[in-house]
Amino acid sequence: MLKKFCKQCGKETEHKEVIKQKPSKYGKSRKEQFKAFLSGFFGGVASPVGASLDLIDRYVVCTKCGNKKLENLGDEFQ
Ligand SMILES: [Zn+2]
């Protein structure tokens, strides 16, 4: 379990980590293109599961309210 701040709960709660494989490389939305840019930028960084960062989405899910947050880029990225 991970202790993280949940915006929905407004406090630090227990989170579990969920890793999903992306169905296709990148979508067409601006957000997806931004992610594509970032994953290229951070392409040399190994992920915790050893898979390429641009092939997986890493989420943390609040165990109190179920709020799911994409967390591919670590704690600093909101
Ligand atoms: Zn929550």
Side-chain angles (χ1 to χ4, degrees), residues 18-23 32 35 53 55-59 70-72:
V18 176
I19 291 170
K20 284 186 179 175
Q21 193 133 24
K22 290 180 183 178
E32 288 295 312
K35 277 199 298 194
L53 275 178
L55 295 177
I56 55 158
D57 276 330
R58 186 169 151 255
Y59 296 91
L70 186 64
E71 195 157 282
N72 282 346

Side-chain angles (χ1 to χ4, degrees), residues 6 9 62 65:
C6 174
C9 295
C62 175
C65 70

Side-chain angles (χ1 to χ4, degrees), residues 17-65:
E17 201 173 52
V18 176
I19 291 170
K20 284 186 179 175
Q21 193 133 24
K22 290 180 183 178
S24 60
K25 197 154 167 55
Y26 300 118
K28 291 191 170 95
S29 71
R30 288 182 65 90
K31 194 180 161 197
E32 288 295 312
Q33 285 176 7
F34 182 61
K35 277 199 298 194
F37 164 75
L38 285 176
S39 59
F41 189 80
F42 291 109
V45 181
S47 78
V49 291
S52 176
L53 275 178
D54 60 358
L55 295 177
I56 55 158
D57 276 330
R58 186 169 151 255
Y59 296 91
V60 288
V61 181
C62 175
T63 58
K64 303 287 180 199
C65 70

